[in-house]
């Protein structure tokens, strides 16, 4: 599995430049555009916190998700359909679990990279209100994996990239817009609220927010962690069965 | 047990479709063994079973004395695989393709680097070592894929249609490299639908058709057994080649009437051609040649290899 | 050309198209309604006060007209030119490159106009504008689409590889965030404000917003002229570059 991670890292050395834009610059622009721009009009703040401080942790969790989406969609489809990278790996003494695990590990590496950079900048803007903010790193990895694993399973099940556009527009974008990143989930219609709580991002946003604001999430926080772990485990099993079916026929 | 690959009654089914229909194969150490047959004969399915990425549906398969169902990773550690379509990482350099692949076999980095250098030299790509793979020609990419298959110093190298899609010059370069591997004692197992490739490279081969083995021997023995020494190829201008068959009776041991030509299987081609002219049949063109595996295949299956 | 594009549609493509329509609607509900509840009303440069959703909606409309036109021109255009070799086949017939380009643009426009019309219906249903104003705003969105479609084609002829799409996407997202879409340009410092007001998406947003909020003035005439000029310039560039790329 480590040799597969190593392969992706070597590959990333060639392609990291283009990913900096989408995984770091865009979230930063969003932070400035929304947090400062729109935040200037939210005069009352939220829960006694300025809009910028309230929104940044959500944006970090959302960035973790965007980062894994970039790697869990087109690359996975392409490694099965066009570049056949997975098949080359399967001819070596690697098992499907190694191939899948190595690629997921690489995605988590990228999450750590972009979230660390974001945290440093957020600290420079003075939006982190507690040393607990470092807990955002493991939380981001957890929510990243909770999204990455099932998305990899999806990407391994399709044959055309039209289905990726569908996933992004009908699942990823709505999740990013309605998971409590920009406004509190409580103001959603009860049905939408329930949907938001079923999806993983909202829990990542909640936990990250508790961390940067230094609020004790209590027992609820523990349940949220466990719930994200369920997404990770379920996604892993699904993805592994897809990988086995595609690589061993 | 002396065979590296040992198969008895090997079957591969995909749903109701039977790709490989009970074949027996033994590949001995150091030989170059070929699977010859048209597209869809079951060659690639057989290769994938030997490559331990496709579990057999039925039958016995032992590779290097191990069971692929159970010891897949251990067997693959000692195989080199060159797939039909190159699956190199086109965004990495030529060298990185070898070093990263070596790591999948647990080869230490320093060893991987040294071996990559040797192999690039062997496949004559040293000058391109640090260029990206994308702009390489088809022949260069295939040679790189072959080098990658050798990175773990395998006991058996599996080559699925190693020269399909290459131009004649690139093919000869690949053959020459494979021939040198064979001289070094590496066991080669290859599939092909080119008879010249099979004749050039294979010590022994099986002819496959419809998932079954229809003949098995060395190329020369197969030709001796299933064909005559020489072949006369006649082309007539008339639309109906068949009408000439009657007029040719008695000249050859056997005829094959193809849409565009008639093949006469004879011991002495020049004698036969003289007899054709004596009968005042005037073909538009006539060619005398030695029998090849193509003729063996035609005889065994009634069909040509490459349409 | 347009006929070929229409026949190439599969059922998955229709879902993707529906997704393209859905995108601005999702933003409208998330930012316009969700964040709008935290903001309340907003004051336009002319002094009129409107609800935040009514402020954001025309901006989402103009942005989606932009991104629809850009997606259809840059991505498809570059792909077909570089990889599918489709244009080479067409050039064997007596069609000039610019005619191909205009065929492409027409296609992008039909698609974009459908999105815009649907979005305007939603705005009327949510009481964010009146039916009459929506009707008047429709040609403004078509103009926006044409201007950005032309810009997309000109850009496509300058693209070197797929990696450049990350740049285009980022530039597009920056425009989306800072073109007076979510806050009035007056919220920015003086210098930034001038840059923002000179950007094409700002002009388009200003035009559409002026119409849907019923605050049209002379500035909107300037907006129209700006977009027309942009379109003419980009079409000229695209035509020249295509001749150079394809007829060598």
């Amino acid at each position: 599995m480590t040799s597969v991670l190593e392969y992706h890292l070597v590959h990333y050395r060639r392609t990291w430049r283009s990913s900096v834009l989408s995984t770091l610059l865009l979230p930063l622009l969003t932070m400035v555009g929304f947090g400062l721009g729109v935040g200037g009009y939210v005069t009352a703040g939220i829960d006694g916190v300025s809009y910028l401080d309230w929104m940044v942790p959500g944006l970090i969790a959302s960035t973790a998700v965007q980062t894994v989406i970039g790697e869990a969609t087109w690359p996975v489809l392409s490694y099965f359909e066009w570049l056949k990278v997975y098949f080359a790996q399967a001819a070596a003494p690697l098992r499907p679990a190694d191939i899948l695990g190595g690629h997921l590990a690489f995605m988590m590496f990228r999450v750590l990279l972009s979230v660390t950079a974001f945290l440093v900048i957020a600290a420079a803007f003075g939006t982190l209100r507690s040393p607990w903010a470092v807990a955002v790193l493991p939380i981001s990895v957890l929510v990243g994996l909770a999204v990455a694993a099932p998305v990899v399973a999806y990407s391994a099940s399709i044959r055309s990239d039209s289905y990726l556009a569908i996933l992004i527009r009908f699942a990823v974008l709505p999740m990013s817009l309605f998971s409590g990143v920009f406004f509190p989930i409580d103001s959603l219609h009860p049905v939408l609220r329930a949907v938001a709580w079923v999806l993983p991002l909202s829990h990542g946003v909640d936990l990250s927010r508790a961390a940067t604001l230094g609020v004790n999430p209590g027992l609820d926080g523990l349940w949220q962690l466990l719930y994200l772990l369920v997404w990770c485990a379920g996604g892993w099993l699904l993805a592994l069965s897809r990988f086995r079916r595609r690589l061993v026929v | 047990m002396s065979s590296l690959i040992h198969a008895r009654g090997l079957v591969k089914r995909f749903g109701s479709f039977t790709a490989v229909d009970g074949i027996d194969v033994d590949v001995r150490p150091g030989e170059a063994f070929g699977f010859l047959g048209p597209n869809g004969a079951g060659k690639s399915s057989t290769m994938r079973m030997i490559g331990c990425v496709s579990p057999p549906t039925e039958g016995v398969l032992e590779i290097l004395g191990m069971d692929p169902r159970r010891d897949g990773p251990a067997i693959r550690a000692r195989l080199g695989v060159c797939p039909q379509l190159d699956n190199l990482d086109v965004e990495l350099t030529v060298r990185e393709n070898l070093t990263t692949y070596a790591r999948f076999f647990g080869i230490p980095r320093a060893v991987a680097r040294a071996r990559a250098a040797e192999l690039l030299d062997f496949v004559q790509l040293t000058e391109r070592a640090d260029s990206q793979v994308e702009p390489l020609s088809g022949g260069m990419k295939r040679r790189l894929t072959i080098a990658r298959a050798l990175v773990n110093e395998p006991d058996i190298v599996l080559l699925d249609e190693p020269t399909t899609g290459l131009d004649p010059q690139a093919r000869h370069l690949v053959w020459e490299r494979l021939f040198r591997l064979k001289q070094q004692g590496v066991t080669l197992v290859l599939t092909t639908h080119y008879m010249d490739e099979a004749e050039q490279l294979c010590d022994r081969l099986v002819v496959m058709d419809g998932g079954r083995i229809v003949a098995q021997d060395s190329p020369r023995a197969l030709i001796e057994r299933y064909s005559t020494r020489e072949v006369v190829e006649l082309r007539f201008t008339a639309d109906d080649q068949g009408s000439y068959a009657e007029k040719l009776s008695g000249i050859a041991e056997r005829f094959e009437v193809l849409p565009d030509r008639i093949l006469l299987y004879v011991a002495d081609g020049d004698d036969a051609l003289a007899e054709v002219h004596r009968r005042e049949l005037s073909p538009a063109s006539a060619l005398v040649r030695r029998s090849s595996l193509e003729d063996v295949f035609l005889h065994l299956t009634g069909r040509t290899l490459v349409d | 050309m347009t006929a070929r594009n229409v026949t190439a549609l599969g059922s998955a493509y229709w879902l993707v198209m529906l997704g393209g329509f859905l995108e601005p609607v999702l933003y409208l509900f998330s930012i316009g309604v969700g964040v709008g509840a935290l903001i309340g009303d907003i004051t336009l440069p002319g002094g009129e006060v409107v609800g935040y959703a009514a402020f954001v909606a025309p901006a989402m409309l103009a942005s989606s007209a932009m991104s629809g036109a850009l997606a259809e021109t840059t991505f498809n255009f570059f792909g077909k030119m570089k990889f599918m070799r489709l244009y080479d086949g067409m050039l064997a017939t007596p069609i000039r490159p610019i005619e191909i380009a205009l065929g492409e643009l027409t296609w992008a426009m039909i698609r974009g106009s459908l999105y815009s019309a649907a979005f305007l219906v939603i705005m009327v249903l949510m009481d964010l504008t009146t039916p009459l104003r929506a009707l008047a705003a429709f040609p403004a969105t078509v103009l926006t689409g044409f201007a950005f479609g032309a810009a997309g084609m000109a850009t496509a002829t300058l693209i070197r590889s797929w990696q450049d799409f990350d740049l285009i996407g980022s530039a597009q997202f920056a425009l989306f965030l800072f073109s007076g879409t979510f806050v009035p340009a007056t919220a920015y410092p003086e210098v930034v404000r001038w840059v923002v007001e000179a950007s094409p998406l700002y002009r388009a947003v200003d035009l559409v917003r002026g119409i849907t909020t019923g605050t049209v003035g002379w500035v909107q005439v300037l907006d129209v002229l700006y977009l027309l000029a942009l379109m003419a310039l980009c079409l000229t560039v695209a035509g020249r570059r295509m001749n150079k790329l394809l007829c060598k």
Side-chain angles (χ1 to χ4, degrees):
Chain A
M1 191 174 110
T2 52
S3 66
V4 177
L5 172 61
E6 198 177 315
Y7 160 79
H8 288 288
L9 291 177
V10 171
H11 190 270
Y12 192 54
R13 210 162 62 194
R14 304 252 157 231
T15 56
W16 65 272
R17 280 175 200 85
S18 63
S19 73
V20 171
L21 281 174
S22 55
T23 57
L24 190 62
L25 192 65
L26 297 189
L28 282 180
L29 286 178
T30 311
M31 179 174 104
V32 174
F34 267 99
L36 290 178
V38 177
Y41 289 82
V42 187
T43 39
I46 300 175
D47 300 336
V49 182
S50 80
Y51 185 70
L52 180 68
D53 292 3
W54 184 84
M55 172 200 159
V56 159
L59 204 53
I60 296 179
S62 174
T63 299
V65 168
Q66 294 304 327
T67 306
V68 299
I69 288 296
E71 189 66 30
T73 50
W74 274 274
V76 171
L77 177 66
S78 161
Y79 287 0
F80 276 117
E81 290 293 319
W82 306 318
L83 297 179
K84 312 257 177 207
V85 166
Y86 290 143
F87 294 98
Q89 293 174 349
L94 299 165
R95 294 162 304 150
D98 299 319
I99 296 169
L100 172 64
H103 201 172
L104 283 172
F106 170 67
M107 293 178 206
M108 296 312 111
F109 164 81
R110 287 198 49 192
V111 165
L112 280 177
L113 215 60
S114 49
V115 167
T116 304
F118 204 148
L119 269 180
V120 168
I121 293 163
F125 272 83
T127 66
L128 306 181
R129 299 177 144 216
S130 156
W132 279 101
V134 290
V136 168
L137 286 171
I139 292 167
S140 297
V141 169
L142 189 62
V143 70
L145 190 60
V147 172
V151 169
V152 166
Y154 177 85
S155 303
S157 311
I158 56 173
R159 302 279 168 152
S160 144
D161 62 350
S162 294
Y163 293 98
L164 294 181
I166 290 169
L167 172 82
I168 286 178
R169 285 191 153 146
F170 289 92
V172 178
L173 182 70
M175 180 171 82
S176 307
L177 287 173
F178 298 97
S179 287
V181 177
F182 299 103
F183 63 93
I185 290 179
D186 296 343
S187 64
L188 284 173
H189 183 275
V191 175
L192 289 177
R193 204 186 304 158
V195 174
W197 285 125
V198 168
L199 294 172
L201 177 59
S202 55
H203 301 281
V205 170
D206 243 27
L207 290 167
S208 297
R209 191 164 283 144
T212 67
L213 297 181
V215 178
N216 181 0
L219 200 60
D220 280 353
L222 188 66
W223 287 119
Q224 288 185 308
L225 282 178
L226 288 175
Y227 184 66
L228 287 176
L229 277 174
V230 170
W231 269 91
C232 296
W236 167 267
L237 291 176
L238 266 180
L240 187 58
S241 97
R242 293 310 311 173
F243 267 53
R244 287 213 178 103
R245 188 166 298 177
R246 293 293 291 275
L247 295 174
V248 184
V249 283
Chain B
M1 194 193 72
S2 64
S3 40
L4 295 183
I5 300 169
H6 171 79
R8 286 295 175 272
L10 188 59
V11 173
K12 182 70 193 182
R13 280 191 213 100
F14 299 100
S16 61
F17 171 70
T18 305
V20 178
D21 195 5
I23 60 170
D24 300 343
V25 174
D26 279 285
V27 178
R28 301 175 201 131
E31 73 175 343
F33 188 92
F35 290 91
L36 179 71
N39 290 328
K43 298 175 304 221
S44 291
S45 298
T46 305
M47 285 295 254
R48 290 175 45 74
M49 283 191 278
I50 297 172
C52 304
V53 290
S54 172
T57 313
E58 275 169 31
V60 175
L61 181 61
E62 279 178 30
I63 299 154
L64 300 162
M66 290 181 276
D67 176 1
R69 291 179 182 92
R70 206 186 53 227
D71 310 313
I75 299 171
R76 290 200 298 272
R78 292 169 61 190
L79 298 181
V81 179
C82 175
Q84 192 172 339
L85 297 170
D86 295 315
N87 51 21
L88 299 161
D89 187 325
V90 292
E91 283 177 315
L92 294 189
T93 65
V94 168
R95 190 198 309 276
E96 284 167 341
N97 262 283
L98 298 184
T99 49
T100 53
Y101 205 73
R103 300 287 295 147
F104 296 155
F105 292 84
I107 296 168
R109 278 187 200 85
V111 179
R113 266 198 303 277
R115 204 169 286 168
E118 278 168 38
L119 286 170
L120 288 177
D121 193 43
F122 176 70
V123 295
Q124 295 161 311
L125 283 172
T126 303
E127 281 172 29
R128 306 300 293 266
D130 295 309
S131 74
Q132 280 201 352
V133 170
E134 184 125 51
L136 297 189
S137 72
M140 288 176 173
K141 281 181 184 157
R142 190 53 55 89
R143 266 144 55 205
L144 179 57
T145 308
I146 291 171
R148 194 183 65 181
L150 299 173
V151 82
N152 56 327
E153 299 185 320
D155 295 320
I156 308 172
V157 179
L158 307 179
L159 302 134
D160 197 357
E161 312 230 345
T163 65
T164 297
L166 300 187
D167 61 57
Q169 208 185 343
R171 292 182 74 198
H172 279 281
L173 199 52
V174 168
W175 285 345
E176 193 252 326
R177 295 292 108 179
L178 292 179
F179 194 74
R180 277 187 48 185
L181 272 183
K182 196 173 116 180
Q183 283 179 318
Q184 290 167 15
V186 177
T187 306
L188 303 179
V189 178
L190 60 112
T191 71
T192 183
H193 59 251
Y194 296 120
M195 50 168 185
D196 51 349
E197 185 159 276
E199 282 174 5
Q200 284 260 351
L201 292 173
C202 298
D203 301 317
R204 251 162 19 97
L205 56 88
V206 293
V207 179
M208 284 188 82
D209 189 42
R212 294 169 190 272
I213 291 175
V214 290
Q216 162 154 227
D217 217 323
S218 71
R220 177 176 298 184
L222 283 171
I223 293 169
E224 277 170 12
R225 192 181 327 153
Y226 294 105
S227 191
T228 51
R229 202 170 69 88
E230 292 189 331
V231 184
V232 183
E233 291 197 11
L234 301 175
R235 283 170 207 268
F236 292 97
T237 39
D239 289 338
D240 187 15
Q241 307 265 1
S243 67
Y244 285 89
E246 230 166 273
K247 298 172 189 162
L248 291 166
S249 69
I251 298 180
E253 281 179 33
R254 196 164 57 80
F255 295 97
E256 290 286 351
V257 182
L258 302 180
D260 60 334
R261 59 196 198 274
I262 299 177
L263 306 182
L264 308 182
Y265 290 93
V266 294
D268 187 319
D270 291 328
D271 274 5
L273 192 55
E275 177 62 24
V276 169
H277 287 300
R278 232 183 337 267
R279 294 191 186 182
E280 294 186 334
L281 303 167
S282 41
S285 74
L287 167 76
V288 177
R289 61 167 175 81
R290 297 183 73 87
S291 270
S292 71
L293 283 172
E294 179 84 52
D295 301 302
V296 171
F297 190 80
L298 193 59
H299 180 55
L300 288 170
T301 69
R303 287 185 292 121
T304 48
L305 261 175
V306 187
D307 0 71
Chain C
M1 191 74 215
T2 305
R4 205 209 79 87
N5 271 326
V6 173
T7 51
L9 300 179
S11 59
Y13 194 96
W14 281 111
L15 258 179
V16 176
M17 294 254 300
L18 179 65
F21 156 72
L22 201 65
E23 198 166 317
V25 178
L26 290 173
Y27 271 101
L28 176 62
F29 276 91
S30 171
I31 310 301
V33 179
V35 179
L38 303 169
I39 291 180
D41 291 340
I42 208 157
T43 312
L44 295 178
E48 303 86 351
V49 176
V50 294
Y52 189 67
F55 174 81
V56 165
M60 295 303 104
L61 179 55
S63 307
S64 91
M66 168 186 82
S67 57
L70 284 182
E72 192 66 41
T73 47
T74 54
F75 206 74
N76 286 1
F77 196 72
F78 177 70
K80 283 175 188 162
M81 202 156 64
K82 189 126 189 168
F83 295 97
M84 289 159 89
R85 295 269 149 220
L86 199 60
Y87 290 126
D88 286 359
M90 285 186 173
L91 281 171
T93 65
I95 306 175
R96 283 183 305 144
I98 191 64
E99 291 175 40
I100 297 176
L102 288 175
E104 280 290 335
L105 191 55
T106 308
W107 164 243
M109 287 316 90
I110 294 171
R111 185 182 125 138
S113 303
L114 286 175
Y115 288 170
S116 301
F119 191 86
L120 281 165
V121 170
I122 288 185
M123 282 178 68
V124 172
L125 290 178
M126 289 174 70
D127 206 18
L128 299 175
T129 189
T130 66
L132 220 59
R133 287 171 183 171
L135 218 54
F138 181 69
T141 63
V142 174
L143 173 63
T144 305
F146 263 103
F148 281 101
M153 281 197 314
T155 314
T157 61
L158 299 169
I159 291 170
R160 293 153 304 176
S161 74
W162 290 110
Q163 251 88 36
D164 284 348
F165 282 99
D166 288 314
L167 271 176
I168 296 176
S170 303
Q172 201 180 319
F173 191 68
L175 276 180
F176 173 66
L177 276 179
F178 296 103
S179 293
T181 29
F182 298 107
V183 293
T186 45
Y188 297 117
E190 194 72 10
V191 184
V192 181
R193 190 185 146 185
W194 280 106
V195 176
V196 166
E197 292 200 354
S199 89
L201 182 57
Y202 178 84
R203 305 290 12 147
V205 169
D206 190 60
L207 175 62
V208 179
R209 187 178 282 149
I211 299 172
T212 61
T213 56
T215 55
V216 180
W218 285 109
V219 193
Q220 274 69 33
V221 177
L222 179 74
D223 294 336
V224 171
L225 291 176
Y226 180 106
L227 293 173
L228 284 173
L230 177 73
M231 185 169 77
L233 177 74
C234 290
L235 278 183
T236 315
V237 172
R240 287 214 182 128
R241 289 280 307 166
M242 284 190 80
N243 266 326
K244 223 170 139 186
L245 289 174
L246 294 170
C247 303
K248 46 188 171 194

